[in-house]
Amino acid sequence: MIGIPAHRRVRLAAVLGAAVAGALALASCDGPAQPDEPTALIDPDEWPTFGRTPGEQHYSPLDQIDSGNVGDLQLAWYYDLPSENTATGPIEADGKLFITTGHGYIRAFEAKTGKLLWEFDSKTREASAIHLRLGWGQKGIAYSDGRVFLGTQDGRVIALDADSGEVAWEQRDYPLEELRYINGPPRVFDGKVIVGHGGADVSAIRGFVTAYDAKTGKRLWRFYTVPGNPADGFESKAMELAASTWTGEWWKHGGGGTAWNAFSYDPELGLIYIGVGNGFPYNQALRSPEGGDNLFLASIVAVKAGSGEYVWHYQVCPGDQWDCTAVQDMSLATLEIDGKERKVLMQAPKNGFFYVIDRTTGEFISAEPFAKVTWAEKIDYKTGRPVENPGIRYHGKPGMFELWPGVRGAHSWLPQSYSPKTGLVYIPVIEGASLIGDEGVDFDNQPPIGGMAVNAHPDPDLPGTHRGFLKAWDPVAQKVRWSIELPGNWPGGIMATAGNLVFQGRIDGHLVAYDAKSGKELWSFETQAPVVAPPISYRIDGTQFVTVITGNGAGGGGIFSTGVAEYSTDYRLPRRVLTFALGGKAKLPQAEPALPRQPLDDPDYREDPELTQKGAMVYGMSGCIVCHGFNAVSGGTAPDLRTSPYILDARAFRAAVKEGALLGSGMPPFPEISDDGLVAMRQYLRALSQNLGKKDGHKAPQGPTAAMH
Ligand code: HEC
């Protein structure tokens, strides 16, 4: 046994931001169809951006495939992809399907046949080098007007000609040295490419969102999400307003507030909605010592599309100190509430409440919990503010607070879907907790990278954790209509269609279609690999297609890998683009057997508990955990190091880890790790390898169990 306490508390310095029992009451949802969002001339046959429309409903109005005939849905074509992050939303426009995998490797296909048309390698890995550690691989790309748009981890925004894959323009969003990363899908609204980025879980940065002219690449505006040093003057009135909600010398800590995922757009109102992330550092007592709301952290901010000028905001976690974010997708719709038609924005952020906000004014309409919540008792309907649990502000309190949802959130970036036909929002829900507190944290000695000034244990084994659900939520009644417990704790992105269907992938290797009204499972396909990416649907020459990319993505497979490791999530398993149509004729080749998870043959291995413990710390502190998983249990984001031949060979290990030998395939170099550190880490991994197959092998709770890097 390896002697590191399972509940060891380690400073949280994690990329977490990044970062759903059977059918319940089968309420009928046969009400009148709700009017759609303003669709802004998106062809119903296409799926050109991440959420299909600017209102990000992740809904297809196509109904050729429906709850009556979905049983005849068959594979039309497939395409084999290399081992790399593939949890990305595809897009389709003009008969072409575009996908990004890994770190900005784009492929264009003839959507009907799967014929590869062109490929584009953004060379992000080489450009990022050591910065490749920051992110988790891409989430998606965008199409508009004959161009494909991509944001790269090293900070470039690239427009490609959709016919040829040639670069039309390229811009740098921020200097490479800044510890930011773009991995969210860019959006194209109002002729502008809207780009955010992540990094406020890693470094002391100040978040911003930038708009580029889609035709020329010219930078048009930039909206900062948190105020800078007042002595430098404010960029806008909004920053002055925001600054009045901060105390101390917050700018020295960056402040955070990176907008790494969600944007929506209402063309009628001319408003772009920005989903803003958590504060840096997490602990408000260090960031803004006298408290305050700390705008615009964990907020939805509406800005004018033309100028980026602030219009309104709604904050989901005032004075965030729990890695709370509002970066989850924002579905726009028109709902009838109390007899009145309201233009709403709906979000299920990490904090576990489902919010309905008036998107014209930012007025709070309603919010109720869609998962277990302990941080707040409720949201006060008069003020729109949370009524916090007294234990939640942990600063100066002994021990750890049990936080539900945990820092991972009740909903991550994998999108929800709103069906105007059923009036329901389908949410991939994570049920999990964290323990959080700051007892013993030394504010004066926080590491420059990832110093969050907090102790956190992101995924403790408390009763009821590590679960995932698909929930159908009625946004008017603020109630769950049906709920399905899923395998694992990393529920996939969702698409609803006008055919009364809800499609979602599962970690256990299935793409499933449910009846949108009742939640009854109607169809499922064995994908031979986990599916977490959101499916899309489109129509070409009268045939409706459904496409999804298989493979476990980053996020679920890295830091939170223990919840999915029991499924076949091996990094080396084949992953593919799968496209379905009624009566499709393609067949997948025979599934490869699961790779064995058994101890490596390692006759020279000798137990050395002290060295092993040291290695566990190096592994944790270096951030290997982000991709190779908790306790080196891989969930598919990177190879399982416990079964990797590299750990048997000191020279190969050194070349891979320290010298960047595998950079081209996505393994960042760690030149700062000392030779002693390498020796210790190899001992740790070899010990874990020998432990495989012993009781609770896949859980192996021996490493530092807090997320960190
Ligand atoms: C940002 C993600 C990421 C981080 C962080 C990361 N790795 Fe990797 N690593 C990868 C990927 C992806 C591969 C697979 C590369 C390939 O296919 O050749 C890999 C491969 C490896 C390999 C070769 C394994 C094999 O069987 O092919 C070793 C050894 C390794 N990593 C060790 C480490 C160690 C030790 C750390 C921490 C110091 C670390 N990695 C951090 C992504 C990461």
Side-chain angles (χ1 to χ4, degrees), residues 83 132-135 571-572 619 622-624 626-628 637-641 644-647 653 656-657 662 665-668 670 673 681 685:
S83 287
L132 200 61
R133 305 174 193 183
L134 289 177
Y571 187 71
R572 301 292 181 203
Y619 177 85
S622 306
C624 316
V626 173
C627 299
H628 291 284
T637 303
D640 197 305
L641 295 179
S644 167
Y646 280 79
I647 67 172
F653 190 74
V657 178
L662 303 176
S665 46
M667 163 65 196
F670 291 80
I673 298 180
M681 212 162 23
L685 295 168

Side-chain angles (χ1 to χ4, degrees), residues 12 38 60 77 160-161 178 186 205 287 391 399-400 408 445 503 547 596 604 613 681 699:
L12 181 74
S60 169
W77 59 264
L160 302 176
D161 182 292
E178 293 183 10
I205 53 173
R287 191 179 70 227
M400 307 275 265
R408 172 184 209 191
N445 288 302
F503 288 87
T547 293
D604 299 336
Q613 176 160 342
M681 212 162 23
K699 283 192 176 156

Side-chain angles (χ1 to χ4, degrees), residues 263-315:
F263 303 96
S264 297
Y265 170 54
D266 182 330
E268 274 170 23
L269 297 172
L271 295 180
I272 289 176
Y273 305 98
I274 301 172
V276 185
N278 56 275
F280 187 97
Y282 292 169
N283 197 333
Q284 194 190 25
L286 179 57
R287 191 179 70 227
S288 176
E290 309 298 317
D293 284 354
N294 296 177
L295 294 172
F296 297 102
L297 296 182
S299 299
I300 297 159
V301 183
V303 301
K304 288 186 185 161
S307 60
E309 196 188 324
Y310 165 87
V311 179
W312 60 255
H313 75 274
Y314 177 81
Q315 192 172 37

Side-chain angles (χ1 to χ4, degrees), residues 24-41:
L24 275 175
L26 299 181
S28 147
C29 323
D30 266 328
Q34 301 280 1
D36 203 352
E37 56 156 328
T39 50
L41 307 174

